[in-house]
Amino acid sequence: MFQSPARCLCSALPALCCAPAASASRLPLPPRPRAPPPPPLGPAAPRATAGGPPAPGAPPRTVCSMGNSTSRLYSVLAKTLSSGAVSQHQDCLEQLDPARLDPIDPKDLLEECQIVLQKRPPRFQRNFVNLKKNAASNHRPIRVMQWNILAQALGEGKDNFVQCPMEALKWEERKCLILEEILAYKPDILCLQEVDHYFDTFEPLLSRLGYQCTFFPKPWSPCLDVERNNGPDGCALFFLKDRFELINSANIRLTAMKLKTNQVAIAQTLKCHETGRLFCIAVTHLKARTGWERFRSAQGCDLLQNLKNITQGAKIPLIVCGDFNAEPTEEVYREFSNSSLNLNSAYKLLSPDGQSEPPYTTWKIRPSGECRHTLDYIWYSQHALNVNSALGLLTEEQIGPNRLPSFNYPSDHLSLVCDFSFNQDPDRLL
């Protein structure tokens, strides 16, 4: 294993070296051998695995040993696993200057993640579907990744995934599955929901991979109701600084019926270094649960109005990523489809007719039964942007009978990834 005495991957501690951040280049993802997956759980299987998770009432789990490895990379990776480490260094986290952090090589981070995950079954194989119809673009595509990563406090404390063993949810390994997925697809822009390990994991790591990082927590996050939580969850937005310049950033607390709500959004106007063109990227997470359809509709209207102001009425191209908690039959979906911003849903283009959403973006089993829904979307200005390709979804066979999350996949929502290019004549279709 490559070791660098000057590199500590996940640390936000005062001993960090002062060096400019490195960019995350698109490197091929090497395969990692792992043990075969555990046998499927039966309908009434308890939350246990052959690995022997702690019994109810037992002391909290400790970070697993790395065997004989003396890698400083993992030793610091392990330090980020407990919220105690965060609170101990909270002053440092609040004053963190990413420009002064030691850069890290994504290959080294991936290698460390794969060591942690070596006893897990192989990660799922997903392929990009080529959707390009026009002539070759004169610039590199912009890869955007949308993902509700499942807040750790909710996964372990509130969401009741009855067919998912608790061992599969432990943060020491689930964190590495999330990072591996991000490293696999190497997004230029990353939009995440349910982030409750921003300050101790995602900000210190991704900033050192060359991303500029922004986080906006929910005002009354349900994570705070969970014992030994790691703070509130919220939306996070990351973009590569070597590709884009931040022109404007807005943290939006969504309103419904003139009342401020618990849901938020981040909208940033970026300038593409290569083309000089501006565009807006937004991330949001709307209200969950059946019975809140009108509430979500009101939140969607508020977000659209904010985005109209930011994009000067669609003069600036727009990409909106989010867990909308709404099926395509809901009013909030129709509002985005019919908006004067001229938005289209990118994943509709995977269907034979180009007009149908995927059958699911989340699939889980809770005490109330099996839930399979399409809730996650990447909306884009169809007059100004082209979708070159989109990442295919996991099949039912890949997901397996116990659904998500699982030992293979860290969230109950699938990641969505699209490659965009600028339309050469954006005003023609507006």
Side-chain angles (χ1 to χ4, degrees):
M1 180 189 305
F2 176 81
Q3 299 182 33
S4 170
R7 186 181 290 112
C8 299
L9 290 191
C10 294
S11 178
L13 307 181
L16 288 170
C17 301
C18 300
S23 68
S25 58
R26 297 229 174 128
L27 301 167
L29 185 72
R32 56 175 166 84
R34 296 196 200 156
L41 297 176
R47 291 193 176 186
T49 66
R61 289 187 294 266
T62 57
V63 177
C64 300
S65 168
M66 285 291 292
N68 295 325
S69 170
T70 58
S71 166
R72 286 189 64 201
L73 305 184
Y74 179 76
S75 67
V76 182
L77 187 71
K79 289 179 184 177
T80 70
L81 299 178
S82 69
S83 58
V86 183
S87 59
Q88 183 180 354
H89 302 283
Q90 192 63 44
D91 292 341
C92 173
L93 289 172
E94 292 171 353
Q95 301 170 16
L96 204 57
D97 181 4
R100 298 176 63 84
L101 296 181
D102 221 10
I104 58 177
D105 190 322
K107 291 186 296 184
D108 295 335
L109 176 57
L110 177 61
E111 193 173 287
E112 291 299 328
C113 289
Q114 291 175 341
I115 290 173
V116 175
L117 297 170
Q118 60 188 337
K119 293 184 179 180
R120 292 235 178 177
R123 69 182 298 274
F124 294 124
Q125 177 65 38
R126 299 169 66 184
N127 298 315
F128 280 89
V129 179
N130 185 10
L131 300 169
K132 199 167 185 178
K133 298 178 181 178
N134 301 329
S137 171
N138 60 0
H139 67 89
R140 286 182 295 162
I142 297 170
R143 177 163 291 181
V144 177
M145 183 174 189
Q146 146 62 30
W147 199 12
N148 178 331
I149 61 172
L150 175 60
Q152 184 63 23
L154 301 183
E156 288 190 315
K158 279 201 166 191
D159 276 344
N160 295 320
F161 302 115
V162 294
Q163 292 295 91
C164 179
M166 285 300 291
E167 190 74 8
L169 294 172
K170 66 179 184 179
W171 182 240
E172 299 94 302
E173 295 179 8
R174 197 174 77 84
K175 157 190 177 172
C176 291
L177 279 176
I178 295 171
L179 292 171
E180 185 184 48
E181 181 96 344
I182 296 169
L183 291 166
Y185 301 121
K186 312 171 188 68
D188 301 306
I189 300 172
L190 174 64
C191 296
L192 301 180
Q193 298 88 34
E194 292 199 20
V195 179
D196 64 344
H197 276 270
Y198 176 81
F199 292 106
D200 65 339
T201 300
F202 294 104
E203 194 275 346
L205 271 175
L206 293 179
S207 65
R208 297 167 71 181
L209 289 171
Y211 290 91
Q212 182 153 328
C213 312
T214 305
F215 175 65
F216 192 24
K218 296 174 183 174
W220 312 299
S221 167
C223 293
L224 300 178
D225 298 331
V226 179
E227 187 179 359
R228 295 192 298 274
N229 67 76
N230 199 59
D233 76 302
C235 292
L237 197 159
F238 310 84
F239 67 85
L240 286 176
K241 293 183 288 185
D242 66 352
R243 292 213 62 187
F244 312 108
E245 175 189 352
L246 179 64
I247 303 300
N248 182 60
S249 184
N251 288 351
I252 303 166
R253 184 172 173 186
L254 298 177
T255 64
M257 304 149 193
K258 299 184 179 180
L259 298 175
K260 292 182 178 181
T261 72
N262 194 35
Q263 281 63 49
V264 300
I266 304 169
Q268 296 187 333
T269 302
L270 306 180
K271 181 179 180 179
C272 177
H273 291 320
E274 189 175 348
T275 66
R277 295 182 64 171
L278 299 180
F279 68 99
C280 177
I281 178 74
V283 56
T284 193
H285 188 187
L286 301 188
K287 173 65 180 174
R289 306 272 189 265
T290 302
W292 292 85
E293 291 81 6
R294 290 182 61 192
F295 196 84
R296 279 191 289 274
S297 175
Q299 289 181 328
C301 287
D302 181 53
L303 178 58
L304 283 170
Q305 185 57 55
N306 276 278
L307 295 175
K308 287 175 187 176
N309 296 337
I310 292 169
T311 62
Q312 303 169 27
K315 290 182 180 179
I316 298 174
L318 173 65
I319 300 172
V320 185
C321 296
D323 175 358
F324 280 65
N325 276 307
E327 293 273 14
T329 54
E330 276 199 33
E331 181 64 29
V332 66
Y333 182 94
R334 292 192 291 273
E335 288 163 357
F336 270 73
S337 294
N338 300 326
S339 165
S340 61
L341 292 173
N342 196 23
L343 300 175
N344 191 30
S345 175
Y347 264 72
K348 283 167 55 176
L349 302 180
L350 288 179
S351 65
D353 62 359
Q355 299 299 316
S356 305
E357 292 288 355
Y360 51 83
T361 61
T362 180
W363 202 341
K364 67 203 84 174
I365 302 176
R366 284 181 165 148
S368 57
E370 191 161 344
C371 308
R372 190 183 86 152
H373 301 292
T374 300
L375 306 177
D376 308 272
Y377 307 96
I378 300 179
W379 298 91
Y380 70 101
S381 300
Q382 55 187 333
H383 63 282
L385 297 167
N386 300 312
V387 184
N388 298 350
S389 62
L391 182 64
L393 299 174
L394 295 177
T395 66
E396 180 177 358
E397 182 181 9
Q398 286 176 311
I399 291 174
N402 297 314
R403 309 314 182 199
L404 303 173
S406 66
F407 280 101
N408 301 74
Y409 201 77
S411 177
D412 55 324
H413 289 252
L414 299 177
S415 63
L416 308 181
V417 186
C418 290
D419 290 333
F420 291 97
S421 61
F422 288 108
N423 191 322
Q424 299 308 304
D425 188 11
D427 296 327
R428 181 174 59 85
L429 300 175
L430 186 59

